[in-house]
């Protein structure tokens, strides 16, 4: 059987949930996420891991802002105006 110290190393947690990426990669003592680099403002990515870049890149999430852009661009980014009516006017 092993020593008590060996069991203690198995029980202790080094990483916990990251509040930005949600993965269990936030190092508790270093206070840095091993996956996304939080609390750094820039997202952590390296060119030697092209698959991870592909998984994390734009268009893989909800895209709450970018989803609306093609429609807004088509209308010239107009704001606080009423769209022109597309109904045919009936002649009387």
């Amino acid at each position: 059987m092993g020593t008590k110290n060996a069991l203690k190393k198995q029980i202790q947690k080094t990483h916990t949930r990251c509040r930005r990426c949600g993965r269990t990669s936030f190092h508790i003592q270093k206070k840095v996420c091993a996956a996304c680099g939080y609390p750094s403002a820039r997202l952590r990515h390296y060119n030697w891991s092209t698959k991870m870049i592909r998984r994390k890149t734009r268009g893989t999430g909800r895209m709450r802002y970018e989803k609306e852009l093609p429609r807004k661009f088509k209308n010239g980014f107009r704001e606080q105006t009423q769209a022109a009516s597309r109904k045919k006017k009936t002649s009387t």
Side-chain angles (χ1 to χ4, degrees):
M1 206 164 161
T3 62
K4 288 185 178 179
N5 192 36
L7 181 63
K8 185 182 178 188
K9 284 185 177 180
Q10 292 174 16
I11 295 169
Q12 283 180 321
K13 285 188 175 180
T14 54
H15 294 86
T16 186
R17 284 282 299 258
C18 172
R19 62 173 66 165
R20 179 159 72 182
C21 67
R23 296 178 64 175
T24 314
S25 306
F26 189 79
H27 199 282
I28 297 167
Q29 283 186 319
K30 291 182 184 176
K31 299 280 190 279
V32 173
C33 178
C36 70
Y38 180 84
S40 173
R42 295 171 183 224
L43 211 61
R44 173 190 174 274
H45 75 282
Y46 294 99
N47 287 333
W48 47 257
S49 180
T50 51
K51 277 188 178 179
M52 189 51 74
I53 293 172
R54 200 185 312 145
R55 291 185 191 119
K56 290 182 175 180
T57 192
R58 289 186 340 179
T60 56
R62 285 174 60 185
M63 293 207 314
R64 282 168 283 188
Y65 174 73
E66 288 188 38
K67 205 170 10 180
E68 310 293 326
L69 280 183
R71 177 177 55 81
K72 287 182 177 180
F73 173 76
K74 183 183 74 175
N75 295 317
F77 294 98
R78 63 175 178 221
E79 285 185 337
Q80 296 164 352
T81 58
Q82 189 73 27
S85 178
R86 299 185 68 196
K87 286 186 177 179
K88 289 185 179 179
K89 293 185 178 180
T90 56
S91 57
T92 55

